[in-house]
């Protein structure tokens, strides 16, 4: 990789807060082991008897080494799988948001659509020439397509807030929702469900009004069904990430792994001190850092929606959706508002 050397020595994302306490314990044990390997008599034990005792525990260290290999491989493998599954759900979220925006812009058009082209060319802000207040550009009065698209952009922001247990920043919604809509969104216990319910309501309201205004009922039904299915898929993407975030690996497995790892790292300096002597502390720390780093990496990967260096960049996903929806709206406006819903 181009940045390979810098990645080797960087401390970013190393999760040192997960490993410093067991590393400190291993360091103390290794210093004692190095000293006792040369001063067993001061402990009231002959050097010969001490070495004989060490020979008896060597097989224990070897067996634990084998067990630790299986436990750590399984732990890291499961965490990596959870990370990849969450990333797939995030990718599906972006994909479905694109489909909903495109479908809305292609079909949710009737009449003059409240100056549809002018709205979209200046989205998400009002044209400089208008004297109307900010609320007129919000989802309650703007065109059906623009209303759906605005809430499509809001959805990944709501998902980020919910998954990270954050209240949300109103600045992220500037130009998208009115002050009242922002307050209602942030007051909802589950912001994602609020956005999804709003999009369903907007779709149903558009379908009823389109049929009332003389649109082809069969085409409206097909478009409404397509939007409903895509909103259902959007519900699944958020639900999948929620499941991964709220269901870590069972505590009994994690506890057993950490206990076994601590026991093994305690035995390593004791067994190898007669060979390594005062090189035992640094060599043991290297071994401990490698094994504890695997456990720390697994901890970081198993819940990948938090805001740390090793987690998914949810803010970037929100920006991608906003940029894609903007492009869809601008392209729809450039085509002049083609309407295939009317008879």
């Amino acid at each position: 990789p181009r940045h390979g050397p810098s990645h080797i020595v960087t401390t970013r994302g190393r999760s040192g807060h997960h490993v410093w306490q067991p590393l400190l314990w291993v360091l103390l044990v290794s210093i004692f082991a190095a000293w006792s390997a040369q001063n067993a008599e001061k402990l009231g034990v002959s050097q010969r008897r001490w070495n004989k005792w060490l020979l008896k525990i060597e097989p224990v260290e070897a067996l634990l080494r084998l067990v630790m290999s299986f436990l750590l491989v399984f732990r890291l493998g499961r965490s990596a799988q959870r990370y990849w599954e969450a990333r797939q759900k995030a990718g599906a979220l972006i994909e479905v948001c694109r489909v909903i925006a495109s479908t809305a812009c292609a079909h949710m058009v009737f009449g003059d659509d409240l100056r549809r082209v002018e709205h979209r060319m200046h989205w998400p802000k009002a044209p400089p020439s208008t004297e109307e207040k900010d609320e007129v550009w919000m989802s309650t009065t703007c065109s059906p397509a623009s209303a759906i698209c605005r809430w499509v952009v809001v959805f990944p922001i709501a998902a980020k807030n919910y998954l990270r247990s954050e209240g949300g920043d109103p600045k992220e919604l500037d130009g998208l929702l009115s002050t009242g809509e922002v307050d209602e969104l942030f007051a909802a216990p589950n912001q994602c469900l609020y956005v999804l319910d709003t999009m369903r309501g907007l779709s149903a309201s558009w379908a009823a009004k389109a049929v009332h205004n003389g649109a082809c009922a069969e085409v409206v039904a097909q478009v409404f069904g397509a939007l409903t299915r895509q909103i259902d898929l959007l519900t699944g993407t958020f639900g999948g990430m929620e499941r991964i975030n709220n269901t870590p690996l069972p505590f009994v497995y994690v506890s057993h792994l950490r206990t076994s790892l601590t026991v093994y790292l305690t035995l390593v300096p004791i067994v190898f001190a007669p060979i390594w002597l005062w090189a035992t502390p640094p060599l043991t720390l290297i071994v401990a850092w490698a094994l504890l780093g695997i456990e720390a990496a697994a901890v970081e990967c198993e819940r990948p929606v938090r805001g740390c260096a090793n987690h998914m960049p949810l803010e970037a996903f929100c920006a991608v959706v906003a940029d894609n929806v903007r492009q869809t709206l601008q392209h729809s406006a450039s085509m002049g508002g083609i309407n295939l819903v009317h008879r």
Side-chain angles (χ1 to χ4, degrees):
R2 184 177 59 179
H3 302 293
S6 63
H7 289 173
I8 293 174
V9 298
T10 184
T11 57
R12 180 178 180 272
R14 291 288 189 176
S15 302
H17 59 286
H18 290 303
V19 302
W20 73 268
Q21 289 180 325
L23 277 179
L24 179 60
W25 165 254
V26 170
L27 176 62
L28 296 175
V29 173
S30 62
I31 292 174
F32 171 77
W35 177 84
S36 61
Q38 303 175 68
N39 300 277
E41 292 82 1
K42 295 182 179 180
L43 297 175
V45 182
S46 66
Q47 195 67 47
R48 182 178 179 181
R49 186 174 181 182
W50 179 262
N51 293 337
K52 186 177 180 180
W53 179 77
L54 290 179
L55 289 174
K56 290 182 179 180
I57 67 172
E58 280 186 10
V60 178
E61 184 273 336
L63 289 174
L64 275 177
R65 188 191 317 159
L66 179 64
V67 172
M68 292 310 308
S69 300
F70 286 109
L71 289 175
L72 287 173
V73 168
F74 177 80
R75 170 82 161 120
L76 185 59
R78 291 297 300 173
S79 296
Q81 183 180 7
R82 290 163 58 87
Y83 189 99
W84 177 242
E85 184 180 353
R87 183 60 184 86
Q88 287 180 313
K89 294 295 184 182
L93 183 151
I94 296 174
E95 176 185 347
V96 174
C97 285
R98 291 168 177 165
V99 173
I100 293 177
S102 180
T103 302
C105 289
H107 301 291
M108 296 179 67
V109 182
F110 56 88
D112 62 358
D113 200 17
L114 295 180
R115 300 184 308 280
R116 170 175 176 267
V117 175
E118 184 182 12
H119 275 240
R120 297 180 185 180
M121 289 181 65
H122 297 87
W123 183 89
K125 296 182 179 180
S129 60
T130 184
E131 297 180 356
E132 296 175 291
K133 295 183 179 180
D134 178 64
E135 282 72 14
V136 78
W137 303 99
M138 302 308 152
S139 61
T140 54
T141 55
C142 68
S143 69
S146 296
I148 286 288
C149 286
R150 290 178 187 277
W151 286 100
V152 167
V153 176
V154 170
F155 181 78
I157 299 174
K160 173 180 67 71
N161 294 339
Y162 180 76
L163 293 172
R164 292 181 178 175
S165 300
E166 298 174 348
D169 184 1
K171 293 182 180 180
E172 291 184 306
L173 301 173
D174 284 349
L176 293 171
L177 302 179
S178 66
T179 302
E181 289 172 326
V182 172
D183 292 340
E184 291 182 6
L185 175 65
F186 287 170
N190 189 321
Q191 295 184 20
C192 295
L193 291 182
Y194 182 91
V195 176
L196 292 168
D197 293 341
T198 300
M199 286 195 289
R200 294 182 195 278
L202 290 171
S203 301
S205 175
W206 164 80
K209 190 172 182 180
V211 173
H212 176 75
N213 289 352
C216 178
E218 294 182 359
V219 176
V220 171
Q222 291 178 359
V223 174
F224 177 70
L227 286 172
T228 300
R229 288 189 294 271
Q230 294 302 318
I231 294 174
D232 291 342
L233 292 176
L234 202 58
T235 307
T237 61
F238 142 70
M241 288 190 287
E242 180 187 29
R243 170 179 54 81
I244 293 171
N245 188 51
N246 295 339
T247 313
L249 210 62
F251 175 78
V252 62
Y253 181 87
V254 176
S255 176
H256 179 70
L257 169 62
R258 292 175 180 173
T259 301
S260 302
L261 187 57
T262 302
V263 172
Y264 173 73
L265 292 176
T266 301
L267 289 178
V268 167
I270 296 175
V271 171
F272 290 98
I275 303 174
W276 295 342
L277 299 179
W278 282 109
T280 301
L283 293 177
T284 304
L285 283 179
I286 293 174
V287 174
W289 173 79
L291 296 179
L292 292 170
I294 297 176
E295 163 63 10
V299 172
E300 288 292 299
C301 291
E302 70 177 352
R303 299 180 66 184
V305 298
R306 292 173 291 176
C308 300
N310 296 298
H311 299 148
M312 294 191 301
L314 299 185
E315 294 85 358
F317 298 161
C318 296
V320 168
V321 171
D323 289 341
N324 293 163
V325 172
R326 178 190 293 271
Q327 176 182 330
T328 299
L329 287 168
Q330 290 175 342
H331 181 62
S332 176
S334 68
M335 292 191 299
I338 299 174
N339 187 352
L340 300 180
V341 174
H342 279 85
R343 301 178 189 274

